[in-house]
Amino acid sequence: MFDFIKLDLVDLTLCDSLLSNSLLNFGTMVNKSSGEILNPKQTADYGNMIFNIFPNGRVLISGSLHKLYNHILGQAINHDVFTYRKVSYTIGFLEEHFKIDPKSAKISNLEFGVNIEPTVQANTIIASLIVFKQHSFNKMNVRYLGCGIHCYMREYGIKVYNKGIQYNCEENILRFEKKIIKMRSGFDTPLVLADLLDKVIWHHCGVSLIADFNDVIIDETINKAKLTKPDLNVYIECINPLNWEKFTRRQRSQKKARFNNIMLKYGKLQIKNEINNLIRGALNQMLSTRTYDCSPLGFTIGSSIPNWQNHFREEIGNIPTNNPQTKLVTFPHFN
């Protein structure tokens, strides 16, 4: 679920630890002619994660948790399924190898989403999206052969893109993602890295994704001859993205319901229904792995379980269950 993240910490001890970390090679921006330091910030990277250290003790870390997980395993990709278990592993890795305290690392940006495999080609789906709420989509600048669109408001945005073609996969993979620019727009209270191990946060993000997808207006092939004249007028009106900006809030609600009913009744591909079901299925899949919460023993689930590098073995016999505070984590189901 979780992908790009930006972490913000102020910790001089952490600065010293990172600067001496053998996995990181820090550098500064200097004038090649004079040798003058142009920016006192020191920067290093590990995989796709960027570490920035400032003289005042501030540390900014940004990058894709999903790619980091796969980088650790040998390939920095993010078109597979990033489960709760993998997120736990990745947070444990950051804590163990870079001394990042999950309880004090504040999250200032966060992306979360799902990779799904619809029966309709991803590019066809992308071309069928009309608006998000009343806002038009813009073309994304996607690396390599990617194709996608996004829609940004002041504090958050959504992105829909062809993840399969981006990585030259045989599978038809569509990515639906939400990016929180201002954390207050997505969460009632500030988050720290440790909160990504909270099943309530996962459920909240899943509900948010589903709600946002429901606010996407999607056109598809229909036999217009079967439409009544009033329905045909609604259809023609709603496939023009400019009209959605003119509708009042009440009109948008009415038009959306009417248009979705037309698509449900006459749409040949049933794109919206299929994607809605696939999003819910992907969320359930990410949360379906049996995971054990040993947080009372040391908080970070990954590092508090012996041999957490073995991906939180799913067999009960391999989990330290003799401690009464160790319990099975269960998650709500996305119906």
Side-chain angles (χ1 to χ4, degrees):
M1 176 182 283
F2 300 109
D3 194 28
F4 179 84
I5 193 170
K6 184 179 289 186
L7 302 173
D8 194 336
L9 306 96
V10 178
D11 187 337
L12 288 172
T13 301
L14 175 62
C15 292
D16 294 338
S17 175
L18 291 174
L19 288 170
S20 62
N21 193 308
S22 61
L23 295 176
L24 300 173
N25 184 19
F26 283 93
T28 56
M29 187 181 297
V30 299
N31 185 312
K32 292 183 178 181
S33 300
S34 65
E36 176 188 2
I37 296 177
L38 301 177
N39 191 331
K41 176 183 70 175
Q42 299 188 70
T43 302
D45 64 88
Y46 178 83
N48 72 295
M49 302 297 291
I50 305 298
F51 294 76
N52 289 308
I53 296 179
F54 297 84
N56 63 356
R58 187 183 184 193
V59 178
L60 291 181
I61 304 170
S62 62
S64 167
L65 293 176
H66 193 163
K67 285 185 179 179
L68 174 60
Y69 172 83
N70 284 309
H71 172 81
I72 297 167
L73 300 183
Q75 188 177 12
I77 60 173
N78 64 346
H79 56 74
D80 57 344
V81 180
F82 197 37
T83 64
Y84 178 90
R85 188 160 53 110
K86 294 177 180 179
V87 171
S88 303
Y89 175 99
T90 307
I91 293 175
F93 183 89
L94 286 171
E95 182 181 23
E96 179 169 314
H97 292 275
F98 298 104
K99 309 307 177 187
I100 306 300
D101 181 3
K103 292 180 289 184
S104 61
K106 297 178 182 178
I107 300 176
S108 56
N109 283 169
L110 183 65
E111 286 182 350
F112 51 89
V114 291
N115 297 328
I116 58 175
E117 295 186 38
T119 57
V120 181
Q121 286 298 308
N123 285 1
T124 300
I125 293 172
I126 292 167
S128 301
L129 306 188
I130 301 172
V131 292
F132 171 62
K133 297 183 177 179
Q134 72 271 30
H135 306 287
S136 298
F137 286 97
N138 295 303
K139 185 177 179 180
M140 282 178 60
N141 182 17
V142 187
R143 291 181 180 179
Y144 312 118
L145 300 175
C147 170
I149 55 178
H150 58 204
C151 180
Y152 276 95
M153 272 58 72
R154 290 183 179 179
E155 298 190 344
Y156 74 97
I158 64 167
K159 299 191 287 186
V160 189
Y161 55 102
N162 189 332
K163 178 66 75 171
I165 197 172
Q166 183 183 17
Y167 284 96
N168 197 27
C169 299
E170 294 183 1
E171 299 86 356
N172 177 46
I173 304 173
L174 182 76
R175 174 79 174 175
F176 183 75
E177 183 175 77
K178 182 170 187 175
K179 180 172 183 176
I180 305 295
I181 302 168
K182 298 290 185 181
M183 297 301 291
R184 65 189 180 190
S185 71
F187 303 93
D188 293 333
T189 58
L191 295 188
V192 293
L193 182 59
D195 288 321
L196 301 191
L197 302 176
D198 186 343
K199 62 181 180 179
V200 175
I201 297 299
W202 279 72
H203 188 257
H204 173 82
C205 291
V207 169
S208 178
L209 275 181
I210 293 169
D212 285 336
F213 177 71
N214 286 334
D215 281 329
V216 176
I217 304 299
I218 303 177
D219 185 20
E220 65 169 273
T221 304
I222 62 172
N223 185 347
K224 298 184 184 68
K226 292 185 177 182
L227 299 183
T228 65
K229 188 173 182 179
D231 280 351
L232 180 60
N233 290 337
V234 170
Y235 173 78
I236 293 173
E237 188 178 30
C238 290
I239 60 174
N240 184 345
L242 297 179
N243 287 333
W244 289 91
E245 298 177 2
K246 302 173 185 177
F247 295 151
T248 65
R249 181 176 296 182
R250 182 177 180 182
Q251 286 174 328
R252 284 198 301 271
S253 178
Q254 293 172 339
K255 301 287 186 184
K256 172 185 170 183
R258 186 84 175 269
F259 184 82
N260 284 342
N261 285 334
I262 293 171
M263 291 297 104
L264 183 62
K265 187 174 181 179
Y266 298 104
K268 295 182 179 180
L269 300 177
Q270 293 297 303
I271 293 174
K272 187 149 193 174
N273 268 355
E274 182 186 25
I275 297 178
N276 197 317
N277 291 331
L278 288 173
I279 290 174
R280 294 170 188 270
L283 292 169
N284 288 328
Q285 180 184 2
M286 285 186 287
L287 294 172
S288 65
T289 303
R290 292 191 299 178
T291 306
Y292 290 80
D293 180 5
C294 296
S295 54
L297 309 180
F299 197 85
T300 302
I301 294 180
S303 59
S304 65
I305 296 179
N307 300 318
W308 59 269
Q309 293 88 341
N310 292 330
H311 289 206
F312 299 95
R313 297 168 182 168
E314 296 180 31
E315 299 82 2
I316 293 178
N318 287 335
I319 300 294
T321 57
N322 57 325
N323 190 297
Q325 296 186 85
T326 304
K327 61 183 182 298
L328 180 65
V329 174
T330 56
F331 297 95
H333 194 79
F334 293 92
N335 295 316

